[in-house]
């Protein structure tokens, strides 16, 4: 599960080093006072990991979505499509730039239903945001085909599934632009933070300028004499986050390997339950195991077992309100919410078990055995 479990002396030494080296906490300038550029190094290391041409570190995943949408030319009144099972941040980013969120149902993969997506495309559709939820990839191949025909851009929200893959590409690097979150519950963490991933220089330059008050960051002039061509905002990452991010990124393969072992224990033991659908060509990051109860009575019994073990579910069902658009009456119209009833029906039967690094394999074995006892 989350990188916070692996925070240790390495992160604290990385932070201490910043202070030992002069204490510059800002990502730009102060050349005479500093020895390193941690945010820049984090971006470079991340770029190598994800295998993209450009990466830009920002203050959060939500900021990354917002800047990303603007870089794709989304204007007030444009429609942006995304999915029901999601986190509210995606819809907030759409609404915050004056665009209109259009919500598409999910299927048993718990990710975007490409058939419903086709139905919801209109003349106003500019961008679709497929969201790789709780470790599992979206059907990127079909989406790309539809989007190419309809001239719709894709922003991949990979805030939750870093390390997962689609057709041999790491998620976040499969479309026009991708975003990752490093908040405290994510695969790797910097406390708060996000990354924008793209292979398009124009998109990268737009995001880079936008997240830094419009600064072009021209190399030959000081920041005070720097140029601008459009108004931006401040969505910068700090050096503290950059240094922690580098350390966390070094631990990702350890984390992913551990995830898979425990995920497989659940998968191989909870065989009486319907499983979440994994799309062809997809590899999860294995940080959550999701299965479906047969009915609500059975679900209640399973949740009791989980509770008795002083364990919890991951969003399904404990935080479903924040992760299903059917509840978001404060940002969506009733008309929009009525169209997505089927997703709620699917999600209400789902149980998501988080994979923790610090929980033993035996714990997951016992958990599966106890859940199986309901039969
Ligand atoms: C799917 C999804 N999108 C966006 C975000 C927002 O990321 P952040 O918390 O870094 O703003 C999250 C975070 O929970 C998320 O799960």
């Amino acid at each position: 599960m989350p990188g916070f479990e692996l925070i240790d002396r390495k992160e604290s030494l990385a932070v201490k080093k910043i202070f030992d080296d002069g204490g510059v906490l800002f990502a730009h300038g102060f050349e005479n006072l500093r020895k390193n550029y941690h945010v820049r190094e984090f971006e470079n290391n991340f770029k190598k990991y994800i295998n993209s041409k450009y990466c830009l570190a920002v203050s959060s995943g939500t900021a990354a979505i917002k800047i990303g949408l603007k870089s794709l030319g989304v204007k007030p009144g444009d429609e942006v499509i995304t999915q029901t099972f999601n986190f509210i941040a995606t819809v907030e980013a759409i609404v915050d730039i004056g665009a209109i969120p259009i919500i598409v149902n999910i299927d048993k993969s718990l990710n975007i239903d490409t058939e419903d997506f086709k139905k919801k495309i209109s003349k106003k559709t500019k961008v679709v945001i497929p969201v790789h939820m709780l470790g599992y990839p979206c059907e990127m191949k079909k989406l790309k085909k539809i989007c190419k025909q309809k001239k719709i851009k894709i922003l991949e929200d990979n805030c939750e599934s870093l390390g997962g893959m689609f057709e041999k590409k790491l998620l976040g690097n499969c479309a026009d632009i991708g975003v990752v979150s490093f908040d405290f519950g994510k695969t790797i963490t910097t406390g708060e933070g996000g990354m924008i991933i793209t292979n398009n220089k124009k998109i990268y330059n737009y995001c880079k300028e936008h997240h830094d008050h419009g600064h072009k960051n021209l190399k030959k002039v000081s920041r005070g004499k720097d140029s601008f061509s459009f108004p931006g905002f401040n969505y910068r990452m700090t050096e503290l986050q950059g240094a922690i991010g580098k350390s966390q990124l070094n631990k990702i393969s350890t984390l992913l390997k551990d995830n898979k072992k425990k995920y497989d224990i659940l998968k191989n033991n909870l065989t009486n339950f319907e499983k979440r659908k994994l799309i062809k060509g997809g590899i999860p990051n294995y940080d959550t195991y999701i299965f479906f109860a047969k009915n609500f009575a059975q679900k209640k019994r399973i949740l009791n077992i989980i509770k008795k073990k002083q364990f919890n579910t991951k969003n399904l069902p404990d935080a479903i309100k924040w992760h299903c658009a059917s509840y978001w009456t404060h940002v969506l119209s009733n008309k929009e919410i009525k169209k997505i009833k089927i997703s709620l029906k699917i999600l209400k039967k789902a149980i998501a078990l988080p994979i923790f690094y610090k929980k033993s394999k035996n714990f997951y074995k016992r958990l599966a055995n106890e859940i199986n006892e309901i039969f």
Side-chain angles (χ1 to χ4, degrees), residues 79-96 99-105 120 321-341 343:
E79 289 181 358
V80 176
I81 296 181
T82 190
Q83 66 199 53
T84 40
F85 184 39
N86 204 329
F87 178 60
I88 185 81
T90 310
V91 169
E92 284 172 330
I94 297 168
V95 170
D96 215 47
I100 301 159
I102 303 294
I103 311 296
V104 169
N105 278 304
K120 300 226 166 118
K321 195 175 150 188
W322 289 92
H323 294 86
C324 176
S326 310
Y327 292 94
W328 305 340
T329 47
H330 61 313
V331 276
L332 298 170
S333 67
N334 282 341
K335 198 174 127 208
E336 200 60 31
I337 287 173
K338 265 194 196 143
K339 289 187 222 159
I340 50 178
K341 270 190 182 156
S343 296

Side-chain angles (χ1 to χ4, degrees), residues 284-335:
N285 77 353
Y286 302 107
D287 80 345
T288 314
Y289 185 77
I290 300 184
F291 62 103
F292 300 95
K294 228 181 212 149
N295 51 47
F296 294 121
Q298 191 187 64
K299 180 177 159 185
K300 211 171 153 192
R301 287 170 69 197
I302 296 168
L303 292 179
N304 272 335
I305 292 165
I306 294 169
K307 200 173 160 195
K308 266 197 197 146
K309 289 191 80 65
Q310 295 179 322
F311 199 53
N312 204 351
T313 53
K314 186 174 175 184
N315 304 340
L316 296 174
D318 58 288
I320 191 170
K321 195 175 150 188
W322 289 92
H323 294 86
C324 176
S326 310
Y327 292 94
W328 305 340
T329 47
H330 61 313
V331 276
L332 298 170
S333 67
N334 282 341
K335 198 174 127 208

Side-chain angles (χ1 to χ4, degrees), residues 5-111:
E5 289 185 285
L6 293 188
I7 287 179
D8 59 20
R9 244 175 88 74
K10 294 221 169 86
E11 280 77 5
S12 81
L13 285 176
V15 170
K16 184 175 176 296
K17 193 168 181 320
I18 296 181
F19 291 103
D20 293 345
D21 286 350
V24 178
L25 308 182
F26 191 61
H28 307 283
F30 298 95
E31 291 83 2
N32 301 332
L33 294 178
R34 73 197 303 151
K35 290 190 179 150
N36 289 85
Y37 287 87
H38 295 282
V39 173
R40 276 186 214 169
E41 284 172 20
F42 181 36
E43 288 168 344
N44 281 332
N45 296 356
F46 200 88
K47 207 163 70 180
K48 280 183 203 140
Y49 171 71
I50 207 107
N51 199 21
S52 71
K53 281 196 185 148
Y54 308 100
C55 277
L56 179 80
V58 292
S59 53
S60 70
T62 314
I65 299 169
K66 188 170 156 181
I67 304 164
L69 287 175
K70 290 190 125 193
S71 77
L72 295 175
V74 177
K75 302 266 178 330
D78 288 339
E79 289 181 358
V80 176
I81 296 181
T82 190
Q83 66 199 53
T84 40
F85 184 39
N86 204 329
F87 178 60
I88 185 81
T90 310
V91 169
E92 284 172 330
I94 297 168
V95 170
D96 215 47
I97 59 174
I100 301 159
I102 303 294
I103 311 296
V104 169
N105 278 304
I106 48 157
D107 57 23
K108 286 280 178 83
S109 72
L110 302 191
N111 283 329

